[in-house]
Amino acid sequence: MSKPEVQAFFDEATFTVSYVVSDPASGRAAIIDSVLDFDPASGRTSTVSADGLIAYVKENELAIDWILETHVHADHISGAAFLQEQLGGQTAIGRGVTAVQSTFKSVFNLPDLAVDGRQFDLLFDDGDTFDIGSLSASVTATPGHTPACVTYVIGNTAYVGDTLFMPDFGTARTDFPGGSAAQLYRSIQKIFALPGDTRLFMCHDYKAPGRDEFAWETTVAAQRDGNIHVNKSVSEEAFVETRENRDRQLGMPKLLLPAIQVNIRAGRLPDPENNGIRYVKIPINAV
Ligand SMILES: [Fe+2]
């Protein structure tokens, strides 16, 4: 089994973990779930987070082949468009992005938005494979949190997006449009079917109560044994009940509205209006 080099970058503003996954043999690499910093109060973006990834790529003389998203994020703006300008590589996401685009095209009233995923260079179907230098990678559709969610399996590692969180924190919410707790349970079973020692990398960490440090790496075996929401002894029915009860108590992520309308466009900000300024829209009483 090939062993990629994995470097994590944690964004404390949105609790997001981005990864640079590289092939030590060739120096080819992929970026997974990058962040464009955005302060909603001032409307200012910055590239501090993305610049950290770029510095790592340059220091290690890596060549970026892929800029991957595990799903259309609702809690941060993707850095994919900026990183592609700076580093090249192809952007890709699961084909389910088309369902997310269709939903939000009407919410945001974007008549010109294409809903066939063409904003990305490539759309992955379940079971697709690709290479990062000498590393083989595959795509597993893991819907449930959103319809577009995929897990990337690269050598002995897997990037699960928002399916699982660390074992002591559980699982991701399933109350966004197109989400489903039952579907998430079945997707998680696919992750549990990977070899037990597969290194699993989370997209978020919120520090479970009683834990002092952020953490984002675990294993399939640790999840199967001890995830507080879904482990080898939890039935689908029990999980759906836990998950739906929890979802009823959650507020909306504070960047949901800005993030979705940019991320359905592969991280490209809306075009400037005739005064040269770009705007994000806030639909009133529509979500
Ligand atoms: Fe998410």
Side-chain angles (χ1 to χ4, degrees):
M1 184 65 82
S2 50
K3 293 187 173 163
E5 181 70 33
V6 183
Q7 181 66 47
F9 298 83
F10 185 67
D11 173 38
E12 247 186 270
T14 63
F15 307 100
T16 301
V17 197
S18 306
Y19 297 97
V20 177
V21 183
S22 58
D23 171 27
S26 64
R28 315 301 301 189
I31 290 171
I32 303 179
D33 290 335
S34 59
V35 172
L36 180 74
D37 308 301
F38 179 64
D39 172 32
S42 62
R44 296 207 74 89
T45 62
S46 98
T47 60
V48 172
S49 295
D51 290 341
L53 272 68
I54 293 170
Y56 172 81
V57 165
K58 296 208 159 144
E59 268 161 38
N60 291 279
E61 299 179 356
L62 301 175
I64 298 299
D65 288 337
W66 298 101
I67 299 179
L68 306 174
E69 302 287 348
T70 55
H71 62 297
V72 178
H73 301 280
D75 45 34
H76 67 273
I77 294 180
S78 166
F82 173 73
L83 285 166
Q84 187 176 38
E85 274 168 31
Q86 303 294 315
L87 298 172
Q90 295 193 78
T91 58
I93 195 167
R95 187 169 304 279
V97 69
T98 58
V100 181
Q101 289 175 327
S102 298
T103 300
F104 286 100
K105 180 185 175 104
S106 50
V107 172
F108 290 111
N109 191 25
L110 303 171
D112 297 333
L113 180 78
V115 294
D116 58 3
R118 73 178 70 165
Q119 299 83 353
F120 296 82
D121 296 319
L122 199 65
L123 301 183
F124 286 128
D125 290 305
D126 185 43
D128 278 354
T129 58
F130 62 100
D131 295 329
I132 305 167
S134 66
L135 299 172
S136 357
S138 65
V139 182
T140 302
T142 47
H145 169 63
T146 77
C149 290
V150 296
T151 291
Y152 295 107
V153 179
I154 304 173
N156 67 338
T157 67
Y159 307 82
V160 301
D162 291 7
T163 52
L164 292 160
F165 293 139
M166 290 300 279
D168 58 3
F169 202 82
T171 55
R173 66 195 300 169
T174 56
D175 58 338
F176 292 151
S180 155
Q183 208 174 33
L184 181 62
Y185 182 88
R186 289 172 214 153
S187 292
I188 290 169
Q189 302 310 309
K190 296 190 200 174
I191 297 169
F192 284 180
L194 295 168
D197 60 354
T198 306
R199 299 171 70 194
L200 282 191
F201 293 93
M202 310 300 109
C203 180
H204 292 290
D205 187 61
Y206 305 95
K207 260 189 215 169
R211 172 150 57 80
D212 293 336
E213 301 291 332
F214 289 108
W216 42 77
E217 179 178 354
T218 179
T219 63
V220 168
Q223 293 282 20
R224 267 189 223 140
D225 288 345
N227 186 289
I228 59 163
H229 289 167
V230 56
N231 54 59
K232 61 189 178 198
S233 47
V234 175
S235 69
E236 178 174 323
E237 202 183 12
F239 171 70
V240 168
E241 198 185 330
T242 310
R243 187 65 261 168
E244 290 180 349
N245 284 337
R246 171 101 179 109
D247 287 347
R248 280 190 274 275
Q249 298 157 21
L250 297 172
M252 281 294 125
K254 78 177 183 228
L255 291 182
L256 175 92
L257 295 169
I260 296 260
Q261 64 195 282
V262 175
N263 294 343
I264 52 176
R265 304 173 78 243
R268 284 184 208 95
L269 296 166
D271 292 335
E273 295 191 6
N274 60 8
N275 59 357
I277 298 174
R278 299 174 198 271
Y279 294 83
V280 290
K281 284 184 171 178
I282 304 295
I284 304 298
N285 299 329
V287 173

mmCIF file of all heavy atoms in Angstrom, residues 164-171 202 205 208 211 217-219 221-230:
data_model
loop_
_atom_site.group_PDB
_atom_site.id
_atom_site.type_symbol
_atom_site.label_atom_id
_atom_site.label_comp_id
_atom_site.label_asym_id
_atom_site.label_seq_id
_atom_site.Cartn_x
_atom_site.Cartn_y
_atom_site.Cartn_z
ATOM 1 N N LEU A 164 -17.688 11.658 9.046
ATOM 2 C CA LEU A 164 -17.319 11.425 10.441
ATOM 3 C C LEU A 164 -16.538 12.611 10.970
ATOM 4 O O LEU A 164 -15.786 13.256 10.235
ATOM 5 C CB LEU A 164 -16.426 10.177 10.519
ATOM 6 C CG LEU A 164 -17.125 8.861 10.188
ATOM 7 C CD1 LEU A 164 -16.101 7.803 9.812
ATOM 8 C CD2 LEU A 164 -17.970 8.411 11.389
ATOM 9 N N PHE A 165 -16.698 12.874 12.270
ATOM 10 C CA PHE A 165 -15.760 13.723 12.994
ATOM 11 C C PHE A 165 -14.908 12.793 13.855
ATOM 12 O O PHE A 165 -15.040 11.561 13.761
ATOM 13 C CB PHE A 165 -16.512 14.762 13.826
ATOM 14 C CG PHE A 165 -17.254 15.766 12.984
ATOM 15 C CD1 PHE A 165 -18.527 16.183 13.331
ATOM 16 C CD2 PHE A 165 -16.678 16.309 11.840
ATOM 17 C CE1 PHE A 165 -19.219 17.116 12.551
ATOM 18 C CE2 PHE A 165 -17.357 17.242 11.054
ATOM 19 C CZ PHE A 165 -18.636 17.644 11.421
ATOM 20 N N MET A 166 -14.039 13.344 14.681
ATOM 21 C CA MET A 166 -13.226 12.490 15.550
ATOM 22 C C MET A 166 -14.174 11.607 16.379
ATOM 23 O O MET A 166 -15.320 11.995 16.654
ATOM 24 C CB MET A 166 -12.335 13.342 16.441
ATOM 25 C CG MET A 166 -11.210 14.040 15.672
ATOM 26 S SD MET A 166 -10.079 12.905 14.824
ATOM 27 C CE MET A 166 -9.015 12.415 16.185
ATOM 28 N N PRO A 167 -13.707 10.408 16.776
ATOM 29 C CA PRO A 167 -14.599 9.473 17.467
ATOM 30 C C PRO A 167 -15.318 10.088 18.668
ATOM 31 O O PRO A 167 -16.488 9.764 18.923
ATOM 32 C CB PRO A 167 -13.654 8.349 17.908
ATOM 33 C CG PRO A 167 -12.555 8.368 16.891
ATOM 34 C CD PRO A 167 -12.375 9.818 16.513
ATOM 35 N N ASP A 168 -14.654 11.012 19.389
ATOM 36 C CA ASP A 168 -15.294 11.594 20.572
ATOM 37 C C ASP A 168 -16.264 12.718 20.230
ATOM 38 O O ASP A 168 -16.918 13.272 21.112
ATOM 39 C CB ASP A 168 -14.227 12.088 21.582
ATOM 40 C CG ASP A 168 -13.265 13.113 20.988
ATOM 41 O OD1 ASP A 168 -13.437 13.506 19.810
ATOM 42 O OD2 ASP A 168 -12.327 13.518 21.711
ATOM 43 N N PHE A 169 -16.385 13.079 18.945
ATOM 44 C CA PHE A 169 -17.328 14.148 18.567
ATOM 45 C C PHE A 169 -18.471 13.635 17.699
ATOM 46 O O PHE A 169 -19.536 14.244 17.650
ATOM 47 C CB PHE A 169 -16.589 15.292 17.865
ATOM 48 C CG PHE A 169 -17.336 16.602 17.925
ATOM 49 C CD1 PHE A 169 -17.249 17.408 19.050
ATOM 50 C CD2 PHE A 169 -18.147 17.004 16.873
ATOM 51 C CE1 PHE A 169 -17.958 18.600 19.123
ATOM 52 C CE2 PHE A 169 -18.856 18.200 16.934
ATOM 53 C CZ PHE A 169 -18.766 18.996 18.067
ATOM 54 N N GLY A 170 -18.245 12.520 16.993
ATOM 55 C CA GLY A 170 -19.373 11.879 16.312
ATOM 56 C C GLY A 170 -19.418 12.057 14.817
ATOM 57 O O GLY A 170 -18.502 11.656 14.104
ATOM 58 N N THR A 171 -20.492 12.691 14.343
ATOM 59 C CA THR A 171 -20.760 12.755 12.899
ATOM 60 C C THR A 171 -21.238 14.151 12.519
ATOM 61 O O THR A 171 -21.558 14.964 13.386
ATOM 62 C CB THR A 171 -21.878 11.760 12.521
ATOM 63 O OG1 THR A 171 -23.029 12.032 13.333
ATOM 64 C CG2 THR A 171 -21.431 10.317 12.739
ATOM 65 N N MET A 202 -10.064 14.033 9.121
ATOM 66 C CA MET A 202 -11.336 14.746 9.234
ATOM 67 C C MET A 202 -11.223 16.106 8.538
ATOM 68 O O MET A 202 -10.130 16.671 8.439
ATOM 69 C CB MET A 202 -11.687 15.024 10.710
ATOM 70 C CG MET A 202 -11.608 13.813 11.643
ATOM 71 S SD MET A 202 -12.714 12.503 11.175
ATOM 72 C CE MET A 202 -11.521 11.298 10.589
ATOM 73 N N ASP A 205 -12.610 19.895 13.153
ATOM 74 C CA ASP A 205 -12.600 19.448 14.548
ATOM 75 C C ASP A 205 -13.056 20.596 15.424
ATOM 76 O O ASP A 205 -12.683 21.754 15.193
ATOM 77 C CB ASP A 205 -11.224 18.972 15.003
ATOM 78 C CG ASP A 205 -11.315 18.370 16.396
ATOM 79 O OD1 ASP A 205 -12.053 17.375 16.541
ATOM 80 O OD2 ASP A 205 -10.699 18.897 17.349
ATOM 81 N N ALA A 208 -13.898 18.005 21.256
ATOM 82 C CA ALA A 208 -14.986 17.425 22.048
ATOM 83 C C ALA A 208 -14.846 17.884 23.499
ATOM 84 O O ALA A 208 -13.740 18.183 23.951
ATOM 85 C CB ALA A 208 -14.902 15.905 21.976
ATOM 86 N N ARG A 211 -11.650 17.509 25.890
ATOM 87 C CA ARG A 211 -10.385 17.380 25.134
ATOM 88 C C ARG A 211 -9.768 18.766 24.997
ATOM 89 O O ARG A 211 -10.458 19.712 24.634
ATOM 90 C CB ARG A 211 -10.666 16.741 23.768
ATOM 91 C CG ARG A 211 -9.472 16.725 22.830
ATOM 92 C CD ARG A 211 -9.456 15.550 21.851
ATOM 93 N NE ARG A 211 -10.630 15.432 20.999
ATOM 94 C CZ ARG A 211 -10.858 16.153 19.888
ATOM 95 N NH1 ARG A 211 -9.992 17.067 19.501
ATOM 96 N NH2 ARG A 211 -11.952 15.956 19.176
ATOM 97 N N GLU A 217 -6.790 13.474 13.020
ATOM 98 C CA GLU A 217 -6.399 12.189 12.444
ATOM 99 C C GLU A 217 -6.797 11.049 13.370
ATOM 100 O O GLU A 217 -6.552 11.101 14.575
ATOM 101 C CB GLU A 217 -4.884 12.132 12.193
ATOM 102 C CG GLU A 217 -4.495 10.773 11.621
ATOM 103 C CD GLU A 217 -3.011 10.609 11.275
ATOM 104 O OE1 GLU A 217 -2.255 11.604 11.367
ATOM 105 O OE2 GLU A 217 -2.636 9.482 10.920
ATOM 106 N N THR A 218 -7.400 10.004 12.794
ATOM 107 C CA THR A 218 -7.726 8.802 13.550
ATOM 108 C C THR A 218 -7.599 7.614 12.594
ATOM 109 O O THR A 218 -6.956 7.737 11.553
ATOM 110 C CB THR A 218 -9.125 8.946 14.209
ATOM 111 O OG1 THR A 218 -9.433 7.759 14.926
ATOM 112 C CG2 THR A 218 -10.217 9.187 13.193
ATOM 113 N N THR A 219 -8.170 6.485 12.938
ATOM 114 C CA THR A 219 -8.117 5.317 12.044
ATOM 115 C C THR A 219 -9.531 4.764 11.868
ATOM 116 O O THR A 219 -10.434 5.037 12.669
ATOM 117 C CB THR A 219 -7.249 4.189 12.617
ATOM 118 O OG1 THR A 219 -7.856 3.738 13.837
ATOM 119 C CG2 THR A 219 -5.819 4.630 12.873
ATOM 120 N N ALA A 221 -10.307 1.698 12.414
ATOM 121 C CA ALA A 221 -10.571 0.838 13.576
ATOM 122 C C ALA A 221 -11.061 1.653 14.771
ATOM 123 O O ALA A 221 -12.010 1.259 15.457
ATOM 124 C CB ALA A 221 -9.312 0.057 13.942
ATOM 125 N N ALA A 222 -10.445 2.816 15.004
ATOM 126 C CA ALA A 222 -10.841 3.647 16.149
ATOM 127 C C ALA A 222 -12.269 4.160 15.968
ATOM 128 O O ALA A 222 -13.041 4.241 16.932
ATOM 129 C CB ALA A 222 -9.869 4.813 16.317
ATOM 130 N N GLN A 223 -12.643 4.495 14.742
ATOM 131 C CA GLN A 223 -14.019 4.946 14.476
ATOM 132 C C GLN A 223 -15.017 3.807 14.666
ATOM 133 O O GLN A 223 -16.042 3.980 15.325
ATOM 134 C CB GLN A 223 -14.149 5.504 13.042
ATOM 135 C CG GLN A 223 -13.379 6.794 12.792
ATOM 136 C CD GLN A 223 -14.072 8.041 13.356
ATOM 137 O OE1 GLN A 223 -14.922 7.973 14.235
ATOM 138 N NE2 GLN A 223 -13.673 9.197 12.858
ATOM 139 N N ARG A 224 -14.684 2.652 14.091
ATOM 140 C CA ARG A 224 -15.587 1.496 14.216
ATOM 141 C C ARG A 224 -15.799 1.126 15.684
ATOM 142 O O ARG A 224 -16.881 0.766 16.101
ATOM 143 C CB ARG A 224 -14.914 0.279 13.575
ATOM 144 C CG ARG A 224 -15.232 0.008 12.154
ATOM 145 C CD ARG A 224 -14.621 -1.371 11.858
ATOM 146 N NE ARG A 224 -13.932 -1.432 10.588
ATOM 147 C CZ ARG A 224 -12.774 -2.065 10.374
ATOM 148 N NH1 ARG A 224 -12.117 -2.669 11.351
ATOM 149 N NH2 ARG A 224 -12.265 -2.103 9.184
ATOM 150 N N ASP A 225 -14.721 1.228 16.471
ATOM 151 C CA ASP A 225 -14.800 0.805 17.878
ATOM 152 C C ASP A 225 -15.494 1.843 18.743
ATOM 153 O O ASP A 225 -16.216 1.487 19.673
ATOM 154 C CB ASP A 225 -13.398 0.568 18.454
ATOM 155 C CG ASP A 225 -12.774 -0.681 17.889
ATOM 156 O OD1 ASP A 225 -13.513 -1.496 17.291
ATOM 157 O OD2 ASP A 225 -11.536 -0.838 18.019
ATOM 158 N N GLY A 226 -15.227 3.121 18.462
ATOM 159 C CA GLY A 226 -15.617 4.072 19.506
ATOM 160 C C GLY A 226 -16.283 5.362 19.092
ATOM 161 O O GLY A 226 -16.432 6.267 19.924
ATOM 162 N N ASN A 227 -16.711 5.515 17.826
ATOM 163 C CA ASN A 227 -17.382 6.778 17.491
ATOM 164 C C ASN A 227 -18.655 6.902 18.326
ATOM 165 O O ASN A 227 -19.450 5.964 18.403
ATOM 166 C CB ASN A 227 -17.700 6.857 15.993
ATOM 167 C CG ASN A 227 -18.253 8.229 15.619
ATOM 168 O OD1 ASN A 227 -19.379 8.577 15.976
ATOM 169 N ND2 ASN A 227 -17.455 9.018 14.928
ATOM 170 N N ILE A 228 -18.839 8.065 18.952
ATOM 171 C CA ILE A 228 -19.955 8.203 19.897
ATOM 172 C C ILE A 228 -21.327 8.179 19.219
ATOM 173 O O ILE A 228 -22.330 7.943 19.877
ATOM 174 C CB ILE A 228 -19.836 9.478 20.772
ATOM 175 C CG1 ILE A 228 -19.786 10.731 19.887
ATOM 176 C CG2 ILE A 228 -18.631 9.403 21.694
ATOM 177 C CD1 ILE A 228 -20.077 12.011 20.649
ATOM 178 N N HIS A 229 -21.401 8.444 17.908
ATOM 179 C CA HIS A 229 -22.700 8.392 17.219
ATOM 180 C C HIS A 229 -22.899 7.097 16.448
ATOM 181 O O HIS A 229 -24.014 6.605 16.363
ATOM 182 C CB HIS A 229 -22.836 9.537 16.196
ATOM 183 C CG HIS A 229 -23.000 10.878 16.814
ATOM 184 N ND1 HIS A 229 -22.880 12.047 16.096
ATOM 185 C CD2 HIS A 229 -23.278 11.245 18.093
ATOM 186 C CE1 HIS A 229 -23.074 13.081 16.898
ATOM 187 N NE2 HIS A 229 -23.306 12.629 18.113
ATOM 188 N N VAL A 230 -21.851 6.630 15.798
ATOM 189 C CA VAL A 230 -22.012 5.455 14.940
ATOM 190 C C VAL A 230 -20.750 4.612 15.020
ATOM 191 O O VAL A 230 -19.663 5.062 14.678
ATOM 192 C CB VAL A 230 -22.369 5.850 13.489
ATOM 193 C CG1 VAL A 230 -21.373 6.787 12.879
ATOM 194 C CG2 VAL A 230 -22.553 4.637 12.608
#
